[in-house]
Amino acid sequence: MMKKVLLVFFLLLSVVFAKKEDYSEMSTQELIEIIGYVKEQNKESFLKELNSRIPKMNEQEKLQYDRRMNQEVLEEKIEDEE
């Protein structure tokens, strides 16, 4: 009986963690490229990881980050106007 309970517990636990993305394994470049494409359920962990990388970004990454963020803001404005 105890084995069944543990098995069910671990199965449920694996399902919960399987849906959560691990952005710490991604490169800064990869994070920048997926801005705007992150599922709503993962946005908090994505933004936390991205914001932790901003101070460490080189000039090229900062430029790409700024462009991507500006593009995202423009796309949101266009969607709001429709």
Side-chain angles (χ1 to χ4, degrees), residues 8-81:
V8 170
F9 174 75
F10 285 119
L11 286 173
L12 289 173
L13 194 62
S14 66
V15 169
V16 169
F17 285 110
K19 291 185 177 185
K20 188 173 182 179
E21 296 286 333
D22 183 11
Y23 297 104
S24 65
E25 297 295 319
M26 297 177 85
S27 71
T28 301
Q29 182 66 38
E30 290 171 321
L31 291 176
I32 292 169
E33 300 227 0
I34 65 170
I35 293 173
Y37 297 102
V38 177
K39 293 180 183 177
E40 193 65 38
Q41 67 192 27
N42 297 326
K43 273 193 176 181
E44 184 178 341
S45 61
F46 170 75
L47 290 173
K48 182 179 179 182
E49 184 63 33
L50 184 62
N51 287 330
S52 73
R53 306 256 185 117
I54 292 172
K56 301 171 194 167
M57 287 181 186
N58 62 38
E59 291 301 316
Q60 179 68 25
E61 290 170 333
K62 286 180 183 177
L63 182 61
Q64 290 174 333
Y65 170 77
D66 288 339
R67 285 182 183 159
R68 195 74 182 103
M69 290 303 288
N70 288 334
Q71 180 182 2
E72 180 65 18
V73 169
L74 288 174
E75 289 173 0
E76 285 179 9
K77 285 183 180 179
I78 292 170
E79 288 176 6
D80 289 344
E81 291 175 0

Side-chain angles (χ1 to χ4, degrees), residues 1-12:
M1 177 65 176
M2 187 65 167
K3 288 182 182 181
K4 287 183 181 179
V5 171
L6 284 174
L7 180 62
V8 170
F9 174 75
F10 285 119
L11 286 173
L12 289 173

